[in-house]
Amino acid sequence: MSNKHVSTLKILMVVAGGALVVRRAVRDRAPVRPPAPSPSAVTGVRGLKLLVTAHERLADGVVGIRLEGHDLPRWEPGAHVDLVLPSGLVRQYSLCGDPEDTSSYTVATRLVEDGRGGSREVHEQVQEGVELEVRGPRNRFPLVEAPAYVFVAGGIGITPVLPMLRALPEDAEWRLLYGGRTRASMPFLEDVEKLGADRARVTVVAEDEDGLPDLDAFLADLPEGAAVYCCGPETLMAAVEERLPEGTAPHLERFAPRTAAGGDGEFEVELHRSGRTLTVGAGSSVLAAVRAELPNTPYSCEQGWCGTCQQRVLEGEIDHRDELLTDSERGDSMLICVSRARSARLVLDL
Ligand code: FES
């Protein structure tokens, strides 16, 4: 194995966190069932208030949360919800419970010691009896129809994969590589091993016991037409992508943003309802310029993954720099924290 591959694999075994950051699902095949409707269609912009009825340790550094309500919107494997935390931070988590259960949602999150505060808040301040606003579900990582499935999950990245494994027919052809630092740090390990026990479909690689996973071997001899799914840190995505044969596009769910707020040229933004025109400098963002005029404009992550800053665009050509919005949403809206303009001027419905 090359040095490059060794170092990549070392990094990919470091589990990076729980909140989903950037999503890209390649929809080259029809979904098994239609994806869940968008949050605005099912729960409104403000989402639902759900009660935390369980907050429990699932693995070292990982807690699971059950949120209860009534007649909750249904979801499909791969879907996520936005949790609005008590501080106002918005974080996205994959749903990992039973899609048929319309009385509760279950999510899991890993504590990121040097993170931006969301996972620590979930671990230390969210507890049973707390009410949280939940937006969604949304699904940009749907399970497609395919003759075979190959899954690669890193640590907390198992959460969207687990409902997929449960949803596959018993005779479906699938295999999973599930990696983590130690077995004790890997959530849902027992469930996953049970699901794949009959045909030795699951390869568990705990770095402290087994060393580094052999991705080259795992991704060799892919079945014809197999759908390859990967969820985990960015390094894991890259390692999987670079090993797939040309023409094979993986379905990815990322844990780290790939976009930046500033960069490129200056442009103007007209705020249609406010009647003001702003200049967005090369090193600044639309969000920063807008908030200088309208300080109550909502935002949270400032990295293009939570969707809080989404605004309708009335005129102009958008330079989308997120991977969150769907193609239809991109037609007339943008995430103003990261996206910019291709035209000299944008008109926002603000
Ligand atoms: Fe989160 Fe813009 S503030 S996407």
Side-chain angles (χ1 to χ4, degrees):
M1 189 182 290
S2 72
N3 286 342
K4 181 181 164 202
H5 284 179
V6 170
S7 59
T8 301
L9 292 176
K10 273 193 174 169
I11 297 166
L12 74 84
M13 294 308 298
V14 176
V15 178
L20 304 177
V21 175
V22 178
R23 296 158 179 275
R24 178 163 66 89
V26 179
R27 297 188 180 101
D28 51 351
R29 303 175 182 91
V32 172
R33 284 174 287 178
S38 71
S40 56
V42 291
T43 63
V45 172
R46 295 205 62 78
L48 297 171
K49 291 280 188 191
L50 302 185
L51 189 66
V52 176
T53 57
H55 183 281
E56 57 194 7
R57 182 188 171 281
L58 296 180
D60 287 353
V62 178
V63 295
I65 297 173
R66 188 171 66 243
L67 296 135
E68 289 195 12
H70 299 286
D71 296 326
L72 301 182
R74 291 180 183 276
W75 56 279
E76 304 292 335
H80 70 277
V81 288
D82 299 342
L83 294 194
V84 184
L85 303 178
S87 66
L89 286 175
V90 180
R91 293 291 182 265
Q92 296 181 316
Y93 296 102
S94 291
L95 290 164
C96 53
D98 176 5
E100 300 302 316
D101 178 3
T102 56
S103 64
S104 74
Y105 290 147
T106 303
V107 298
T109 176
R110 177 175 299 286
L111 177 64
V112 183
E113 295 287 353
D114 57 352
R116 302 172 66 242
S119 71
R120 186 166 295 283
E121 188 172 348
V122 171
H123 276 246
E124 296 176 1
Q125 286 168 42
V126 171
Q127 48 191 260
E128 286 177 29
V130 166
E131 224 181 32
L132 292 182
E133 184 183 331
V134 179
R135 299 173 186 159
R138 294 209 271 192
N139 197 348
R140 291 191 170 85
F141 192 51
L143 189 59
V144 297
E145 275 180 10
Y149 299 87
V150 174
F151 300 96
V152 179
I156 196 71
I158 196 65
T159 48
V161 172
L162 181 61
M164 291 184 180
L165 302 183
R166 289 177 175 145
L168 288 174
E170 244 173 60
D171 59 353
E173 186 180 345
W174 64 267
R175 65 186 195 235
L176 162 71
L177 172 68
Y178 180 19
R181 283 174 298 189
T182 64
R183 289 181 70 88
S185 71
M186 297 164 73
F188 304 113
L189 187 54
E190 242 177 66
D191 306 72
V192 165
E193 286 185 320
K194 253 187 226 161
L195 281 166
D198 56 339
R199 290 194 232 160
R201 292 156 147 164
V202 178
T203 303
V204 173
V205 181
E207 193 179 346
D208 64 333
E209 294 174 18
D210 311 310
L212 303 173
D214 188 347
L215 266 187
D216 291 308
F218 184 75
L219 295 172
D221 303 323
L222 290 177
E224 180 73 30
V228 180
Y229 283 80
C230 183
C231 184
E234 179 66 33
T235 45
L236 178 58
M237 311 286 118
V240 168
E241 270 183 311
E242 77 180 34
R243 284 167 175 79
L244 294 183
E246 218 179 300
T248 306
H251 303 258
L252 303 175
E253 184 131 271
R254 288 193 159 84
F255 285 85
R258 294 204 297 190
T259 51
D264 300 339
E266 188 176 286
F267 55 95
E268 281 195 344
V269 172
E270 183 184 323
L271 307 181
H272 179 68
R273 280 182 284 136
S274 313
R276 297 178 216 182
T277 299
L278 324 166
T279 300
V280 178
S284 186
S285 67
V286 177
L287 175 65
V290 168
R291 281 184 59 84
E293 291 290 331
L294 304 174
N296 292 330
T297 305
Y299 74 103
S300 180
C301 71
E302 294 184 81
Q303 294 184 73
W305 55 262
C306 74
T308 310
C309 67
Q310 183 174 345
Q311 294 294 342
R312 209 152 78 84
V313 179
L314 304 175
E315 277 177 46
E317 199 184 340
I318 308 163
D319 178 4
H320 290 286
R321 297 189 177 192
D322 67 283
E323 295 184 59
L324 178 74
L325 296 184
T326 61
D327 287 346
S328 63
E329 288 168 327
R330 282 166 190 260
D332 67 351
S333 66
M334 69 186 286
L335 298 182
I336 61 172
C337 64
V338 291
S339 295
R340 301 180 68 81
R342 286 193 200 288
S343 50
R345 182 168 152 275
L346 287 178
V347 181
L348 299 183
D349 189 16
L350 267 172

